[in-house]
Amino acid sequence: MTAYQFSESFAKEMDAQDALSSFRNEFHIPVWKGKESIYLTGNSLGLQPKSAREFVEQEFLDWQNLGVEGHTEAKNPWLFYHHFLTKQAAEIVGAQEKEVVIMNNLTANLHLMMVSFYRPSKARYKLIIEGGAFPSDQYAVDSQAKFHGFDPKDAIIELKPRQGEHTLRTEDIHQTIRDHADELALVMLGGVNYYTGQAYDMKSIASVAHEVGALCGFDLAHGAGNILLNLHDWEVDFAVWCSYKYLNSGPGGTSGVFVHEKHGNSADIPRFAGWWGHNEKERFLMKRDFIPMEGAQGWQLSNAQIFPMAIHRASLDIFHRAGMKNLRAKSEKLTGYLEFVLAEIANSGKFGFEVITPQNPNERGCQLSVLVKENGKKLYEYLKDNSAIVDWREPNVIRIAPVPLYNSFLDIYRLGKIIKSFEA
Ligand SMILES: *Cc1c(COP(=O)(O)O)cnc(C)c1O
């Protein structure tokens, strides 16, 4: 590959060579402070696909014209709406279709999965998470431990980076699992850490967890639609993700669940049940006893949320056309360019910052987390005043997420130019 250059002509040339560049036109780019924004927060809320409106409009029309008959007569019959999402969602996480279901919201799904896959005994009750995990995940695992009568301070083991380091070493994760071999019930990590942007070696973590007799699940809020996933082959037990970050399916959008096929067909796995998880062929016989559907679908509770799912269909359709492998190949170049531009600015000695995200592309997604030593908040505000939308995390980190579907190399160049013009 040609060496990167911090120049407008270089960025434009990279965009001209990018086979995915036209996908940007399929999204609404917000205008902020009077200018088209440099939107680099797809890790927090992905942009709106222009096609989303049509997908939702179809359901508005069918509801308007058909009322309850829409369940069977709508263009996309509502009774089966969740089915229309599974194939493309399975492509994104590297799963078989029957291992995936779209339902509910992320934290609710995390609880449903832990009901089935965190079943502590007196001897084996510990749960490993990342130190400084996303708060919702911390609250979820703490409350699960308490629900089973354990003290979270004893039951929850938090992985911490070594002194002076920002991210976790794979060998340390493995070692912690082995250190607790006999008392460990579950390893539950964010597949990509929301704060540092580190992508964990999910395959080896799942494998070591299994070696010691524990189960392993991932929260892929920052992984789905960002990195290449292979949940089936990695033998991950379960995973959950949201649809509104990299998957561009709207604020508070629906969520996805993966249950590995080795568990999906065991009707006797304890679970919290609802009518939508019941054998579809008999669902409307309204019979007494619950018989779960095979696969992830057997964890459904409620009838499908048509409107958030309509938006999700619009987005998954775009992912399907672009292809995760192509997106990932572009993502590596785009984030590499951001890394280069930041290093150029740092080398000019203007002000101090450190990228805490791993340098190895295999250990990160598209996001770079930049620790700004002084005046970080001021820099963040300055960027926003100049139409560059990045995100600020206390105490001193700016997260920048160039998304390969709609960000361009020119976006990165422009961001660099604004950072360079910052006077603290
Ligand atoms: C975004 C995010 C959440 C948010 O949970 P919701 O239930 O969708 O509100 C939870 N966990 C992680 C790791 C996240 O990144």
Side-chain angles (χ1 to χ4, degrees):
M1 214 189 67
T2 41
Y4 289 128
Q5 293 165 30
F6 183 23
S7 77
E8 184 167 351
S9 60
F10 174 80
K12 285 183 166 165
E13 180 53 32
M14 288 297 280
D15 285 330
Q17 288 171 17
D18 169 19
L20 298 175
S21 63
S22 67
F23 281 98
R24 180 180 175 91
N25 300 327
E26 299 197 27
F27 290 86
H28 291 291
I29 312 283
V31 171
W32 184 256
K33 308 263 175 191
K35 272 192 284 186
E36 183 179 88
S37 62
I38 304 170
Y39 192 85
L40 295 161
T41 38
N43 54 346
S44 192
L45 185 72
L47 290 181
Q48 182 184 136
K50 290 178 181 167
S51 57
R53 203 171 280 265
E54 277 163 51
F55 278 74
V56 173
E57 180 61 13
Q58 180 67 49
E59 305 316 321
F60 266 123
L61 279 175
D62 286 342
W63 180 26
Q64 176 181 324
N65 295 325
L66 299 166
V68 72
E69 299 301 325
H71 282 302
T72 50
E73 303 306 316
K75 184 171 174 215
N76 313 295
W78 302 329
L79 275 183
F80 306 106
Y81 208 88
H82 50 288
H83 290 295
F84 309 143
L85 299 150
T86 36
K87 186 164 184 282
Q88 294 183 346
E91 280 174 16
I92 287 181
V93 296
Q96 297 177 2
E97 222 175 306
K98 65 180 177 213
E99 292 173 319
V100 168
V101 69
I102 302 299
M103 60 181 191
N104 310 328
N105 289 81
L106 174 58
T107 307
N109 284 336
L110 182 55
H111 275 296
L112 291 179
M113 288 295 101
M114 285 199 282
V115 162
S116 292
F117 300 109
Y118 175 61
R119 300 202 312 276
S121 67
K122 266 213 165 84
R124 205 178 256 289
Y125 63 96
K126 296 209 171 173
L127 197 160
I128 292 181
I129 63 167
E130 312 130 272
F134 196 92
S136 202
D137 299 33
Q138 292 177 29
Y139 307 151
V141 299
D142 282 3
S143 61
Q144 286 279 338
K146 281 190 200 161
F147 177 74
H148 289 285
F150 296 99
D151 175 2
K153 288 199 187 71
D154 173 39
I156 309 294
I157 300 157
E158 297 192 3
L159 297 162
K160 297 263 164 63
R162 291 187 189 184
Q163 191 72 34
E165 297 183 7
H166 296 288
T167 52
L168 297 171
R169 296 195 194 189
T170 305
E171 74 243 41
D172 292 353
I173 301 176
H174 293 174
Q175 192 54 47
T176 306
I177 296 173
R178 294 195 171 109
D179 287 347
H180 296 277
D182 298 331
E183 46 183 15
L184 190 63
L186 179 67
V187 179
M188 205 298 289
L189 304 181
V192 175
N193 182 273
Y194 83 101
Y195 193 82
T196 64
Q198 179 179 21
Y200 300 116
D201 182 357
M202 290 180 247
K203 182 180 175 181
S204 76
I205 293 168
S207 157
V208 178
H210 293 154
E211 247 172 59
V212 305
L215 295 177
C216 182
F218 292 101
D219 181 336
L220 296 173
H222 284 261
N226 179 19
I227 60 172
L228 292 178
L229 297 163
N230 237 322
L231 299 181
H232 175 83
D233 290 348
W234 297 344
E235 305 223 22
V236 170
D237 296 288
F238 72 86
V240 291
W241 59 94
C242 60
S243 66
Y244 51 82
K245 291 173 178 166
Y246 293 107
L247 294 177
N248 311 318
S249 301
T254 187
S255 162
V257 165
F258 165 88
V259 178
H260 198 278
E261 76 170 331
K262 68 190 166 194
H263 303 300
N265 296 337
S266 326
D268 47 342
I269 290 190
R271 69 185 84 192
F272 286 173
W275 74 320
W276 231 247
H278 184 81
N279 178 4
E280 198 168 55
K281 296 197 182 77
E282 292 192 347
R283 191 183 285 146
F284 286 90
L285 300 180
M286 307 306 216
K287 287 208 292 204
R288 178 76 186 71
D289 291 318
F290 178 73
I291 303 169
M293 277 194 280
E294 287 196 350
Q297 294 182 78
W299 271 265
Q300 293 174 107
L301 299 180
S302 299
N303 71 101
Q305 307 144 290
I306 303 304
F307 289 92
M309 287 186 183
I311 301 175
H312 197 34
R313 280 186 70 206
S315 172
L316 289 177
D317 176 66
I318 297 173
F319 272 89
H320 177 71
R321 282 186 284 117
M324 267 315 296
K325 285 208 174 105
N326 300 329
L327 286 168
R328 175 62 190 174
K330 173 174 172 184
S331 179
E332 286 181 20
K333 286 186 205 162
L334 198 60
T335 293
Y337 188 48
L338 172 62
E339 189 173 40
F340 169 83
V341 166
L342 290 172
E344 288 284 287
I345 298 167
N347 288 342
S348 72
K350 214 166 155 207
F351 58 99
F353 56 82
E354 179 188 356
V355 175
I356 61 173
T357 308
Q359 285 179 0
N360 179 348
N362 294 325
E363 293 172 23
R364 69 187 185 198
C366 74
Q367 167 188 325
L368 293 184
S369 302
V370 186
L371 191 157
V372 188
K373 290 176 184 141
E374 270 168 58
N375 295 310
K377 192 77 187 271
K378 248 170 124 181
L379 171 61
Y380 162 74
E381 299 290 352
Y382 178 76
L383 290 173
K384 224 157 79 173
D385 287 343
N386 285 280
S387 306
I389 305 182
V390 296
D391 134 329
W392 173 255
R393 290 286 134 163
E394 294 295 343
N396 52 14
V397 164
I398 291 177
R399 301 186 305 170
I400 309 173
V403 166
L405 261 179
Y406 49 74
N407 283 122
S408 62
F409 289 86
L410 193 60
D411 280 340
I412 304 301
Y413 169 75
R414 287 185 172 147
L415 174 82
K417 222 174 103 180
I418 299 167
I419 296 177
K420 227 180 146 178
S421 69
F422 173 65
E423 302 286 346

